[in-house]
Amino acid sequence: MAMHVPKSYFQNMMKEGTKHLSGMHEAVFSNLEACTELYKTIKTCYGPKGLNKMVINHLSKLFVTNDAATIIKELEVQHPAAKMIVLASQQQEAECGDGTNFVMILAGSLLEKAIDLLECGLSPSEVIKGYEMASEKCLEILETLVCHTVKDVKNKEAVLPIVKTAVGSKQDGYEDFLAELISEACSKIMPTQRTFNVDHVRSCKILGSGVLSSTCLQGMVFKRNVESDITLVKDAKIAVYSCPFDIGTTETKGTVLIKTAEELKNFSVDEEKLIENSVKALADIGITCVVSGGKVGEMMLHFANKFNIMVVRLMSKWDLRRLCKSINATALPNMSPPTAEEIGFCSMVQLEEVGDTTVVSFRQAREESAMSTIIIRGSTDNIMDDIERAIDDGVNSVKMLSRDQRCLPGAAATEIELAKQLMTFGEQTPGMEQYAIRKFAEAF
C-alpha cells in the first residue's frame, strides 16, 4: 500500500508559491467554474445581434468587437483549465477561420451541465464516457442533415449565400454588400486543381468615406508612393529585385589613387556610364517598371526617369513575394537584367489617390489572377478592423467550401435537431451514461 504524502511534505518538495488542490470540490469544481465564467463572458457576443465588448490590452490598445477570437487573444487568460478552452477555440480559428465563439459556448455549456451531473453523484469517468458517446452520435446525425450541396465553387452566385451567412453574424446590415465583395474576390482567384489559399485574398484599409465605398480589384494595392516621376504604366513588364536598386559596393575596402584632375573627372563619368548602362540594359529588354525590396539610389532613379521606367519600393519581403506571385515574376538577388521567364506582367501599374491616401495599384485585367485585394473604407480604425475580421471569416468559409461542398441548415436548426435526436438516443441508452448524453443534448 502506497504511503500518503502529507500536504506539508508535498509543499516542501515543490518550489515556493505552488498550490496543491485535491478532491472533487477543491480541484474539479473550481476548474469547471472558471471555464463557465469565461464562457459567460463570451456568450453575449454570439450571433448577428451579439453585443460588442470593449477590450483594452496590455499595450493600452482599444478593441471594440464581438469577434470571440480577438477578445480571447487580447484577454490573456491565465487559468490552466480555462486556457484549454482558449486553445480549442484557437485551433478552430487556425483550422476553419471561424466558429471560435461556438466552440467556446458549447464547451462552456457542456462543463456547466457536467457540474449538475457531478453534484448528482456521477463520477467524472461516467460523464466523460457519456459525452464521448454523444459526440460520436452527433457526427453520425450530421451526415443525414445535409440540406444543400454547392455544385460549382467557382460560381459567384452559388457561393454568395454561404458567405452571406458567415458575414451576417459579424456585420449585421452590411452582409449583402460584403458578401458580394468577398464572393467576387474569391471567384476570381479560385484555383481549379489545388485547394484555395486564404492568403491570396488581401485587404487594404484606407481611412475615410464609409464601408459602402469599399471595392475589390484583381491584383494588389500598396499604401506607398512611387519613387520615380512616372505614375502610370499600361501593359507593364516588371523586374523585381529583392536587393537595393543601386550600384553595388565592393565587399572589401578599396583605395583609388587619383593623381590628376583629369583622372578625377573620368572616375565620376565612368561611374555614371556604368549606372546608365545597367538601366539601359533593362530598358532594352522592354522593362517599364522596377520593384525593389531595398533603397533606391539617386543616380539610378535619375536614369530610370530618363528611360521612362517606373520605380516602386516595397519595404516588406512578404509583400514582395506576394507581388511576385500576383504578376508571375521572380525576385532577383542582384542587379542583373532578368530573363524572359523572370519578368512579370501586369495590365496596369498606377499611382492613385484613395481619399487622402496615396496608393500604388497593380491591376490585372485577365479573367483569372493569383491575387485579389479588397480595399476597405471606414470612418474609424475600429470599424475597419471589424470589417476586416468579417471579410476574413467570409474568405475562410469559401476555403472550407472548397474542401467540402455540403451545407447544413443555419439559424440553430441543426443544433435543435441534434438536441432532439440525442435526447431520444439518451433515453434508449442503458447505464449511467444516459444522464450525460441527455445533458449533452441540453447543452445545445
Side-chain angles (χ1 to χ4, degrees):
M1 189 173 160
M3 189 181 76
H4 174 67
V5 179
K7 204 168 188 180
S8 56
Y9 290 172
F10 186 83
Q11 299 284 36
N12 291 340
M13 283 194 287
M14 301 313 223
K15 68 178 183 182
E16 200 177 330
T18 304
K19 282 185 182 177
H20 177 235
L21 303 172
S22 63
M24 190 68 84
H25 277 277
E26 237 185 39
V28 180
F29 284 120
S30 65
N31 285 339
L32 292 178
E33 277 157 16
C35 295
T36 52
E37 281 304 313
L38 178 66
Y39 122 81
K40 282 172 186 171
T41 310
I42 304 295
K43 192 178 172 181
T44 50
C45 304
Y46 194 54
K49 301 291 180 191
L51 304 175
N52 280 357
K53 290 276 183 280
M54 192 181 284
V55 183
I56 300 170
N57 69 1
H58 64 288
L59 298 170
S60 300
K61 189 181 177 188
L62 174 72
F63 294 86
V64 181
T65 179
N66 64 355
D67 181 48
T70 310
I71 295 166
I72 294 159
K73 194 168 128 192
E74 300 305 331
L75 277 180
E76 295 182 14
V77 178
Q78 292 298 320
H79 194 282
K83 225 172 189 175
M84 287 178 74
I85 299 187
V86 172
L87 290 170
S89 74
Q90 284 173 350
Q91 188 56 40
Q92 171 76 4
E93 174 75 13
E95 187 65 28
C96 303
D98 196 7
T100 47
N101 208 334
F102 179 74
V103 169
M104 292 283 294
I105 289 171
L106 182 61
S109 188
L110 287 170
L111 293 173
E112 196 173 35
K113 299 294 177 192
I115 294 174
D116 298 345
L117 291 167
L118 293 170
E119 282 174 348
C120 289
L122 268 75
S123 69
S125 58
E126 284 168 340
V127 177
I128 292 164
K129 194 178 177 189
Y131 276 6
E132 282 175 352
M133 286 167 73
S135 175
E136 285 166 17
K137 185 67 180 173
C138 272
L139 296 174
E140 285 173 33
I141 298 167
L142 282 173
E143 297 288 334
T144 64
L145 299 182
V146 175
C147 66
H148 174 65
T149 306
V150 177
K151 300 283 189 294
D152 180 17
V153 187
K154 284 178 77 70
N155 183 356
K156 180 183 157 186
E157 298 306 318
V159 172
L160 195 63
I162 286 88
V163 176
K164 192 174 164 184
T165 311
V167 176
S169 65
K170 292 279 187 296
Q171 289 296 326
D172 190 32
Y174 290 127
E175 68 269 23
D176 290 319
F177 175 72
L178 290 175
E180 190 79 30
L181 275 184
I182 295 163
S183 304
E184 188 185 336
C186 294
S187 59
K188 284 175 179 174
I189 62 157
M190 183 67 73
T192 45
Q193 301 299 321
R194 60 193 187 281
T195 53
F196 176 79
N197 190 347
V198 184
D199 197 47
H200 291 176
V201 178
R202 308 300 305 159
S203 59
C204 178
K205 294 181 286 188
I206 298 173
L207 197 65
S209 194
V211 175
L212 297 175
S213 302
S214 302
T215 52
C216 169
L217 65 86
Q218 275 178 278
M220 295 202 73
V221 176
F222 301 102
K223 283 200 276 187
R224 293 201 63 76
N225 212 327
V226 292
E227 303 292 319
S228 58
D229 299 340
I230 293 93
T231 56
L232 173 67
V233 179
K234 289 184 177 176
D235 297 321
K237 280 179 148 185
I238 304 170
V240 182
Y241 294 103
S242 57
C243 61
F245 186 59
D246 201 0
I247 190 163
T249 55
T250 54
E251 285 183 17
T252 54
K253 282 187 178 180
T255 307
V256 179
L257 199 63
I258 294 169
K259 292 176 182 175
T260 62
E262 197 64 37
E263 281 180 5
L264 181 62
K265 280 163 77 178
N266 288 342
F267 179 73
S268 60
V269 168
D270 285 348
E271 188 184 6
E272 274 183 37
K273 274 186 182 172
L274 184 68
I275 293 171
E276 186 177 8
N277 289 339
S278 65
V279 178
K280 190 173 183 294
L282 293 175
D284 289 344
I285 58 173
I287 298 293
T288 52
C289 176
V290 170
V291 179
S292 168
K295 73 180 181 74
V296 178
E298 282 183 26
M299 195 65 78
M300 279 286 200
L301 198 56
H302 165 73
F303 286 112
N305 288 328
K306 181 183 173 183
F307 290 107
N308 287 329
I309 295 174
M310 184 193 248
V311 180
V312 181
R313 181 185 175 193
L314 294 180
M315 304 298 287
S316 164
K317 64 176 182 182
W318 305 108
D319 281 345
L320 204 69
R321 286 177 191 176
R322 288 186 191 111
L323 180 67
C324 286
K325 196 166 185 63
S326 174
I327 61 176
N328 200 21
T330 306
L332 301 172
N334 53 31
M335 280 300 302
S336 57
T339 60
E341 291 79 27
E342 291 165 341
I343 295 173
F345 295 91
C346 188
S347 306
M348 186 163 74
V349 184
Q350 185 181 9
L351 181 73
E352 301 176 58
E353 264 201 19
V354 181
D356 58 353
T357 308
T358 309
V359 296
V360 180
S361 61
F362 290 79
R363 294 173 185 266
Q364 297 287 20
R366 57 177 187 264
E367 276 294 302
E368 286 184 4
S369 64
M371 292 272 180
S372 61
T373 304
I374 296 172
I375 298 170
I376 302 168
R377 305 301 308 282
S379 52
T380 66
D381 286 324
N382 263 326
I383 289 172
M384 291 195 296
D385 288 343
D386 234 19
I387 295 289
E388 187 180 31
R389 283 190 278 271
I391 287 171
D392 189 46
D393 287 347
V395 172
N396 275 294
S397 67
V398 176
K399 179 185 86 170
M400 297 314 294
L401 199 62
S402 67
R403 291 185 190 174
D404 190 345
Q405 287 78 42
R406 295 172 299 170
C407 302
L408 291 166
T414 307
E415 287 88 337
I416 292 164
E417 184 57 32
L418 279 172
K420 277 170 67 181
Q421 293 201 31
L422 278 176
M423 271 293 187
T424 313
F425 173 64
E427 284 162 9
Q428 294 167 355
T429 308
M432 299 301 275
E433 289 81 18
Q434 62 175 298
Y435 299 109
I437 292 168
R438 280 154 70 177
K439 287 289 183 187
F440 195 102
E442 281 175 31
F444 278 114

PDB file of all heavy atoms in Angstrom, residues 30-54:
ATOM      1  N   SER A  30     -13.742  23.829  -8.959  1.00  0.00           N
ATOM      2  CA  SER A  30     -13.130  25.160  -9.151  1.00  0.00           C
ATOM      3  C   SER A  30     -12.712  25.358 -10.613  1.00  0.00           C
ATOM      4  O   SER A  30     -12.860  26.447 -11.171  1.00  0.00           O
ATOM      5  CB  SER A  30     -11.920  25.325  -8.229  1.00  0.00           C
ATOM      6  OG  SER A  30     -10.899  24.424  -8.584  1.00  0.00           O
ATOM      7  N   ASN A  31     -12.201  24.263 -11.229  1.00  0.00           N
ATOM      8  CA  ASN A  31     -11.811  24.352 -12.645  1.00  0.00           C
ATOM      9  C   ASN A  31     -13.031  24.531 -13.537  1.00  0.00           C
ATOM     10  O   ASN A  31     -13.012  25.327 -14.478  1.00  0.00           O
ATOM     11  CB  ASN A  31     -11.049  23.085 -13.065  1.00  0.00           C
ATOM     12  CG  ASN A  31      -9.631  23.077 -12.520  1.00  0.00           C
ATOM     13  OD1 ASN A  31      -9.090  24.124 -12.188  1.00  0.00           O
ATOM     14  ND2 ASN A  31      -9.041  21.908 -12.411  1.00  0.00           N
ATOM     15  N   LEU A  32     -14.084  23.770 -13.262  1.00  0.00           N
ATOM     16  CA  LEU A  32     -15.303  23.872 -14.069  1.00  0.00           C
ATOM     17  C   LEU A  32     -15.919  25.266 -13.950  1.00  0.00           C
ATOM     18  O   LEU A  32     -16.374  25.834 -14.942  1.00  0.00           O
ATOM     19  CB  LEU A  32     -16.335  22.814 -13.634  1.00  0.00           C
ATOM     20  CG  LEU A  32     -15.984  21.336 -13.919  1.00  0.00           C
ATOM     21  CD1 LEU A  32     -17.065  20.430 -13.382  1.00  0.00           C
ATOM     22  CD2 LEU A  32     -15.808  21.087 -15.409  1.00  0.00           C
ATOM     23  N   GLU A  33     -15.909  25.800 -12.753  1.00  0.00           N
ATOM     24  CA  GLU A  33     -16.487  27.132 -12.543  1.00  0.00           C
ATOM     25  C   GLU A  33     -15.688  28.218 -13.277  1.00  0.00           C
ATOM     26  O   GLU A  33     -16.263  29.164 -13.810  1.00  0.00           O
ATOM     27  CB  GLU A  33     -16.567  27.451 -11.044  1.00  0.00           C
ATOM     28  CG  GLU A  33     -17.817  26.844 -10.389  1.00  0.00           C
ATOM     29  CD  GLU A  33     -17.656  26.641  -8.882  1.00  0.00           C
ATOM     30  OE1 GLU A  33     -16.719  27.231  -8.311  1.00  0.00           O
ATOM     31  OE2 GLU A  33     -18.460  25.898  -8.306  1.00  0.00           O
ATOM     32  N   ALA A  34     -14.356  28.054 -13.319  1.00  0.00           N
ATOM     33  CA  ALA A  34     -13.507  29.026 -14.040  1.00  0.00           C
ATOM     34  C   ALA A  34     -13.848  29.023 -15.529  1.00  0.00           C
ATOM     35  O   ALA A  34     -13.942  30.084 -16.158  1.00  0.00           O
ATOM     36  CB  ALA A  34     -12.036  28.669 -13.838  1.00  0.00           C
ATOM     37  N   CYS A  35     -14.057  27.813 -16.071  1.00  0.00           N
ATOM     38  CA  CYS A  35     -14.382  27.681 -17.502  1.00  0.00           C
ATOM     39  C   CYS A  35     -15.755  28.276 -17.808  1.00  0.00           C
ATOM     40  O   CYS A  35     -15.936  28.947 -18.822  1.00  0.00           O
ATOM     41  CB  CYS A  35     -14.362  26.212 -17.934  1.00  0.00           C
ATOM     42  SG  CYS A  35     -12.731  25.476 -17.811  1.00  0.00           S
ATOM     43  N   THR A  36     -16.732  28.022 -16.927  1.00  0.00           N
ATOM     44  CA  THR A  36     -18.081  28.548 -17.176  1.00  0.00           C
ATOM     45  C   THR A  36     -18.111  30.070 -17.059  1.00  0.00           C
ATOM     46  O   THR A  36     -18.857  30.725 -17.784  1.00  0.00           O
ATOM     47  CB  THR A  36     -19.122  27.921 -16.206  1.00  0.00           C
ATOM     48  OG1 THR A  36     -18.657  28.058 -14.871  1.00  0.00           O
ATOM     49  CG2 THR A  36     -19.347  26.463 -16.510  1.00  0.00           C
ATOM     50  N   GLU A  37     -17.281  30.640 -16.186  1.00  0.00           N
ATOM     51  CA  GLU A  37     -17.217  32.108 -16.076  1.00  0.00           C
ATOM     52  C   GLU A  37     -16.707  32.722 -17.381  1.00  0.00           C
ATOM     53  O   GLU A  37     -17.219  33.740 -17.836  1.00  0.00           O
ATOM     54  CB  GLU A  37     -16.279  32.519 -14.926  1.00  0.00           C
ATOM     55  CG  GLU A  37     -16.886  32.411 -13.544  1.00  0.00           C
ATOM     56  CD  GLU A  37     -18.167  33.209 -13.379  1.00  0.00           C
ATOM     57  OE1 GLU A  37     -18.186  34.382 -13.784  1.00  0.00           O
ATOM     58  OE2 GLU A  37     -19.154  32.653 -12.862  1.00  0.00           O
ATOM     59  N   LEU A  38     -15.682  32.071 -17.973  1.00  0.00           N
ATOM     60  CA  LEU A  38     -15.126  32.565 -19.242  1.00  0.00           C
ATOM     61  C   LEU A  38     -16.186  32.478 -20.344  1.00  0.00           C
ATOM     62  O   LEU A  38     -16.367  33.418 -21.121  1.00  0.00           O
ATOM     63  CB  LEU A  38     -13.886  31.740 -19.631  1.00  0.00           C
ATOM     64  CG  LEU A  38     -13.232  32.106 -20.969  1.00  0.00           C
ATOM     65  CD1 LEU A  38     -12.645  33.510 -20.917  1.00  0.00           C
ATOM     66  CD2 LEU A  38     -12.146  31.108 -21.324  1.00  0.00           C
ATOM     67  N   TYR A  39     -16.919  31.369 -20.372  1.00  0.00           N
ATOM     68  CA  TYR A  39     -17.916  31.181 -21.435  1.00  0.00           C
ATOM     69  C   TYR A  39     -19.071  32.174 -21.294  1.00  0.00           C
ATOM     70  O   TYR A  39     -19.611  32.658 -22.285  1.00  0.00           O
ATOM     71  CB  TYR A  39     -18.376  29.711 -21.458  1.00  0.00           C
ATOM     72  CG  TYR A  39     -19.848  29.432 -21.265  1.00  0.00           C
ATOM     73  CD1 TYR A  39     -20.733  29.550 -22.341  1.00  0.00           C
ATOM     74  CD2 TYR A  39     -20.365  29.019 -20.040  1.00  0.00           C
ATOM     75  CE1 TYR A  39     -22.087  29.268 -22.177  1.00  0.00           C
ATOM     76  CE2 TYR A  39     -21.706  28.738 -19.868  1.00  0.00           C
ATOM     77  CZ  TYR A  39     -22.563  28.865 -20.940  1.00  0.00           C
ATOM     78  OH  TYR A  39     -23.887  28.583 -20.796  1.00  0.00           O
ATOM     79  N   LYS A  40     -19.416  32.526 -20.046  1.00  0.00           N
ATOM     80  CA  LYS A  40     -20.488  33.510 -19.830  1.00  0.00           C
ATOM     81  C   LYS A  40     -20.073  34.900 -20.310  1.00  0.00           C
ATOM     82  O   LYS A  40     -20.905  35.698 -20.738  1.00  0.00           O
ATOM     83  CB  LYS A  40     -20.875  33.562 -18.337  1.00  0.00           C
ATOM     84  CG  LYS A  40     -21.763  32.399 -17.909  1.00  0.00           C
ATOM     85  CD  LYS A  40     -21.956  32.371 -16.404  1.00  0.00           C
ATOM     86  CE  LYS A  40     -22.717  31.106 -15.975  1.00  0.00           C
ATOM     87  NZ  LYS A  40     -22.725  30.939 -14.516  1.00  0.00           N
ATOM     88  N   THR A  41     -18.764  35.178 -20.245  1.00  0.00           N
ATOM     89  CA  THR A  41     -18.250  36.472 -20.735  1.00  0.00           C
ATOM     90  C   THR A  41     -18.412  36.576 -22.240  1.00  0.00           C
ATOM     91  O   THR A  41     -18.780  37.624 -22.777  1.00  0.00           O
ATOM     92  CB  THR A  41     -16.746  36.612 -20.376  1.00  0.00           C
ATOM     93  OG1 THR A  41     -16.582  36.317 -18.998  1.00  0.00           O
ATOM     94  CG2 THR A  41     -16.211  37.991 -20.677  1.00  0.00           C
ATOM     95  N   ILE A  42     -18.131  35.470 -22.943  1.00  0.00           N
ATOM     96  CA  ILE A  42     -18.140  35.454 -24.409  1.00  0.00           C
ATOM     97  C   ILE A  42     -19.560  35.240 -24.968  1.00  0.00           C
ATOM     98  O   ILE A  42     -19.861  35.672 -26.071  1.00  0.00           O
ATOM     99  CB  ILE A  42     -17.197  34.319 -24.927  1.00  0.00           C
ATOM    100  CG1 ILE A  42     -15.783  34.489 -24.358  1.00  0.00           C
ATOM    101  CG2 ILE A  42     -17.148  34.266 -26.435  1.00  0.00           C
ATOM    102  CD1 ILE A  42     -15.056  35.718 -24.807  1.00  0.00           C
ATOM    103  N   LYS A  43     -20.414  34.591 -24.177  1.00  0.00           N
ATOM    104  CA  LYS A  43     -21.750  34.168 -24.620  1.00  0.00           C
ATOM    105  C   LYS A  43     -22.573  35.301 -25.249  1.00  0.00           C
ATOM    106  O   LYS A  43     -23.257  35.104 -26.249  1.00  0.00           O
ATOM    107  CB  LYS A  43     -22.492  33.597 -23.396  1.00  0.00           C
ATOM    108  CG  LYS A  43     -23.770  32.845 -23.708  1.00  0.00           C
ATOM    109  CD  LYS A  43     -24.335  32.321 -22.385  1.00  0.00           C
ATOM    110  CE  LYS A  43     -25.707  31.718 -22.566  1.00  0.00           C
ATOM    111  NZ  LYS A  43     -26.233  31.247 -21.284  1.00  0.00           N
ATOM    112  N   THR A  44     -22.475  36.496 -24.667  1.00  0.00           N
ATOM    113  CA  THR A  44     -23.308  37.620 -25.127  1.00  0.00           C
ATOM    114  C   THR A  44     -22.881  38.174 -26.491  1.00  0.00           C
ATOM    115  O   THR A  44     -23.576  39.002 -27.062  1.00  0.00           O
ATOM    116  CB  THR A  44     -23.269  38.762 -24.094  1.00  0.00           C
ATOM    117  OG1 THR A  44     -21.907  39.038 -23.771  1.00  0.00           O
ATOM    118  CG2 THR A  44     -24.030  38.368 -22.830  1.00  0.00           C
ATOM    119  N   CYS A  45     -21.714  37.726 -26.981  1.00  0.00           N
ATOM    120  CA  CYS A  45     -21.221  38.215 -28.291  1.00  0.00           C
ATOM    121  C   CYS A  45     -21.770  37.392 -29.450  1.00  0.00           C
ATOM    122  O   CYS A  45     -21.528  37.716 -30.606  1.00  0.00           O
ATOM    123  CB  CYS A  45     -19.693  38.148 -28.358  1.00  0.00           C
ATOM    124  SG  CYS A  45     -18.886  39.018 -27.056  1.00  0.00           S
ATOM    125  N   TYR A  46     -22.458  36.302 -29.163  1.00  0.00           N
ATOM    126  CA  TYR A  46     -22.800  35.318 -30.199  1.00  0.00           C
ATOM    127  C   TYR A  46     -23.929  35.819 -31.104  1.00  0.00           C
ATOM    128  O   TYR A  46     -24.894  36.409 -30.620  1.00  0.00           O
ATOM    129  CB  TYR A  46     -23.202  33.997 -29.534  1.00  0.00           C
ATOM    130  CG  TYR A  46     -23.243  32.811 -30.483  1.00  0.00           C
ATOM    131  CD1 TYR A  46     -22.151  32.494 -31.262  1.00  0.00           C
ATOM    132  CD2 TYR A  46     -24.384  32.019 -30.592  1.00  0.00           C
ATOM    133  CE1 TYR A  46     -22.177  31.413 -32.121  1.00  0.00           C
ATOM    134  CE2 TYR A  46     -24.422  30.936 -31.451  1.00  0.00           C
ATOM    135  CZ  TYR A  46     -23.311  30.634 -32.213  1.00  0.00           C
ATOM    136  OH  TYR A  46     -23.338  29.567 -33.070  1.00  0.00           O
ATOM    137  N   GLY A  47     -23.811  35.540 -32.396  1.00  0.00           N
ATOM    138  CA  GLY A  47     -24.900  35.811 -33.339  1.00  0.00           C
ATOM    139  C   GLY A  47     -24.888  37.223 -33.888  1.00  0.00           C
ATOM    140  O   GLY A  47     -24.110  38.076 -33.463  1.00  0.00           O
ATOM    141  N   PRO A  48     -25.778  37.488 -34.876  1.00  0.00           N
ATOM    142  CA  PRO A  48     -25.810  38.809 -35.530  1.00  0.00           C
ATOM    143  C   PRO A  48     -26.189  39.948 -34.584  1.00  0.00           C
ATOM    144  O   PRO A  48     -25.796  41.077 -34.779  1.00  0.00           O
ATOM    145  CB  PRO A  48     -26.860  38.643 -36.632  1.00  0.00           C
ATOM    146  CG  PRO A  48     -27.635  37.413 -36.294  1.00  0.00           C
ATOM    147  CD  PRO A  48     -26.751  36.551 -35.463  1.00  0.00           C
ATOM    148  N   LYS A  49     -26.956  39.637 -33.538  1.00  0.00           N
ATOM    149  CA  LYS A  49     -27.348  40.677 -32.584  1.00  0.00           C
ATOM    150  C   LYS A  49     -26.465  40.630 -31.324  1.00  0.00           C
ATOM    151  O   LYS A  49     -26.841  41.147 -30.277  1.00  0.00           O
ATOM    152  CB  LYS A  49     -28.822  40.501 -32.168  1.00  0.00           C
ATOM    153  CG  LYS A  49     -29.801  40.563 -33.339  1.00  0.00           C
ATOM    154  CD  LYS A  49     -29.879  41.958 -33.924  1.00  0.00           C
ATOM    155  CE  LYS A  49     -30.861  42.000 -35.097  1.00  0.00           C
ATOM    156  NZ  LYS A  49     -30.773  43.262 -35.838  1.00  0.00           N
ATOM    157  N   GLY A  50     -25.310  39.987 -31.441  1.00  0.00           N
ATOM    158  CA  GLY A  50     -24.383  39.867 -30.311  1.00  0.00           C
ATOM    159  C   GLY A  50     -23.848  41.224 -29.883  1.00  0.00           C
ATOM    160  O   GLY A  50     -23.670  42.122 -30.699  1.00  0.00           O
ATOM    161  N   LEU A  51     -23.588  41.360 -28.600  1.00  0.00           N
ATOM    162  CA  LEU A  51     -23.091  42.636 -28.068  1.00  0.00           C
ATOM    163  C   LEU A  51     -21.589  42.771 -28.293  1.00  0.00           C
ATOM    164  O   LEU A  51     -20.854  41.785 -28.239  1.00  0.00           O
ATOM    165  CB  LEU A  51     -23.384  42.710 -26.560  1.00  0.00           C
ATOM    166  CG  LEU A  51     -24.846  42.538 -26.135  1.00  0.00           C
ATOM    167  CD1 LEU A  51     -24.939  42.517 -24.617  1.00  0.00           C
ATOM    168  CD2 LEU A  51     -25.715  43.641 -26.699  1.00  0.00           C
ATOM    169  N   ASN A  52     -21.160  43.995 -28.527  1.00  0.00           N
ATOM    170  CA  ASN A  52     -19.726  44.270 -28.661  1.00  0.00           C
ATOM    171  C   ASN A  52     -19.074  44.330 -27.281  1.00  0.00           C
ATOM    172  O   ASN A  52     -19.700  44.725 -26.312  1.00  0.00           O
ATOM    173  CB  ASN A  52     -19.493  45.596 -29.377  1.00  0.00           C
ATOM    174  CG  ASN A  52     -19.631  45.461 -30.882  1.00  0.00           C
ATOM    175  OD1 ASN A  52     -19.852  44.371 -31.389  1.00  0.00           O
ATOM    176  ND2 ASN A  52     -19.522  46.563 -31.575  1.00  0.00           N
ATOM    177  N   LYS A  53     -17.824  43.917 -27.229  1.00  0.00           N
ATOM    178  CA  LYS A  53     -17.045  44.015 -25.990  1.00  0.00           C
ATOM    179  C   LYS A  53     -15.948  45.067 -26.198  1.00  0.00           C
ATOM    180  O   LYS A  53     -15.363  45.155 -27.283  1.00  0.00           O
ATOM    181  CB  LYS A  53     -16.395  42.668 -25.658  1.00  0.00           C
ATOM    182  CG  LYS A  53     -17.389  41.589 -25.231  1.00  0.00           C
ATOM    183  CD  LYS A  53     -17.722  41.694 -23.766  1.00  0.00           C
ATOM    184  CE  LYS A  53     -18.653  40.568 -23.346  1.00  0.00           C
ATOM    185  NZ  LYS A  53     -20.049  40.808 -23.691  1.00  0.00           N
ATOM    186  N   MET A  54     -15.670  45.819 -25.155  1.00  0.00           N
ATOM    187  CA  MET A  54     -14.581  46.787 -25.215  1.00  0.00           C
ATOM    188  C   MET A  54     -13.399  46.209 -24.440  1.00  0.00           C
ATOM    189  O   MET A  54     -13.490  46.000 -23.235  1.00  0.00           O
ATOM    190  CB  MET A  54     -15.035  48.108 -24.595  1.00  0.00           C
ATOM    191  CG  MET A  54     -14.078  49.245 -24.865  1.00  0.00           C
ATOM    192  SD  MET A  54     -14.620  50.784 -24.099  1.00  0.00           S
ATOM    193  CE  MET A  54     -15.923  51.280 -25.199  1.00  0.00           C
TER     194      MET A  54
END
